[in-house]
Amino acid sequence: MTVDANPLDAKDFKQAMRQCAGAVALVTVGAQHGTRTGLTVTSACSLSDSPPSLIVCVNRNASAHARIREEGAFAINFLHEDHAMLALTFSGQKGVNGDDRFAFGQWTRGVTGAPVLTDAVAAFDCVLAQEFETKTHSIFVGEVRAVSHADAAKPLIYLRSSFHTPQEIRETVTVGDLDSRHLSWTDFS
């Protein structure tokens, strides 16, 4: 087997990744007013339920990166459809930085001290359990100490360079000659 030694063009990689939907979340850190910061990510996901833990990839140039290490705690706040402007604010696109970003949205202090968005689709208050470094990012593993969720909220996702909400597939799906039931995750559990 021969492997092409030429590296993949970053533009091609980014264009392909734009075709993959990602849940939009805010990673927040800072127990005290004036020291809080955060960023918008689509790189957060579940790792395990034993112990309950998540991973998030954070660019080492992000202001929150060093703060997560210092605090040893952070929150991952998954956003809903009404949070698009909040996502843009925490991404830096609105010119608001650091603690000033928390003037938008309703926040409370989690059990770890990290800022938690009160109306998030799901919020996970975590202690930093492990960290892995890559060339540009760190992968932070957070063990969850507290969780909250809003079952009725429609999650915010990012796809093809814009925000969307998921739509449940309700029509009947035919597989060969067999009619399948209406698709719903509850049908599979």
Side-chain angles (χ1 to χ4, degrees):
M1 173 186 238
T2 306
V3 177
D4 185 4
N6 295 325
L8 179 67
D9 180 34
K11 283 190 259 180
D12 289 339
F13 173 76
K14 288 178 184 178
Q15 189 58 37
M17 287 305 300
R18 286 184 182 114
Q19 309 313 305
C20 304
V24 182
L26 303 180
V27 177
T28 54
V29 60
Q32 303 298 322
H33 287 279
T35 67
R36 299 174 301 177
T37 192
L39 72 153
T40 304
V41 302
T42 56
S43 61
C45 66
S46 170
L47 175 63
S48 176
D49 64 355
S50 182
S53 51
L54 291 97
I55 61 171
V56 64
C57 303
V58 176
N59 190 303
R60 291 203 310 258
N61 293 326
S63 61
H65 186 274
R67 300 285 299 123
I68 290 170
R69 285 179 168 170
E70 291 167 15
E71 296 271 336
F74 58 94
I76 301 176
N77 305 275
F78 287 92
L79 304 182
H80 64 65
E81 64 185 332
D82 295 334
H83 288 144
M85 289 303 288
L86 193 58
L88 291 175
T89 300
F90 273 76
S91 73
Q93 294 185 39
K94 294 295 178 187
V96 181
N97 296 309
D99 201 71
D100 292 339
R101 293 175 176 175
F102 294 89
F104 306 91
Q106 298 296 315
W107 298 92
T108 189
R109 195 174 190 192
V111 296
T112 67
V116 174
L117 186 62
T118 59
D119 65 340
V121 168
F124 300 88
D125 190 12
C126 304
V127 294
L128 180 60
Q130 286 183 286
E131 176 185 348
F132 304 93
E133 289 194 31
T134 70
K135 187 175 181 181
T136 59
H137 288 67
S138 289
I139 302 165
F140 292 119
V141 176
E143 283 189 15
V144 180
R145 295 296 185 251
V147 64
S148 61
H149 56 90
D151 294 335
K154 286 187 174 183
L156 185 66
I157 60 171
Y158 193 71
L159 174 66
R160 298 181 179 139
S161 301
S162 63
F163 295 116
H164 302 270
T165 57
Q167 180 178 334
E168 188 173 346
I169 299 172
R170 284 293 193 183
E171 67 270 5
T172 302
V173 176
T174 303
V175 181
D177 292 329
L178 303 174
D179 285 334
S180 298
R181 294 186 289 173
H182 291 293
L183 287 180
S184 170
W185 285 112
T186 56
D187 293 339
F188 296 104
S189 54

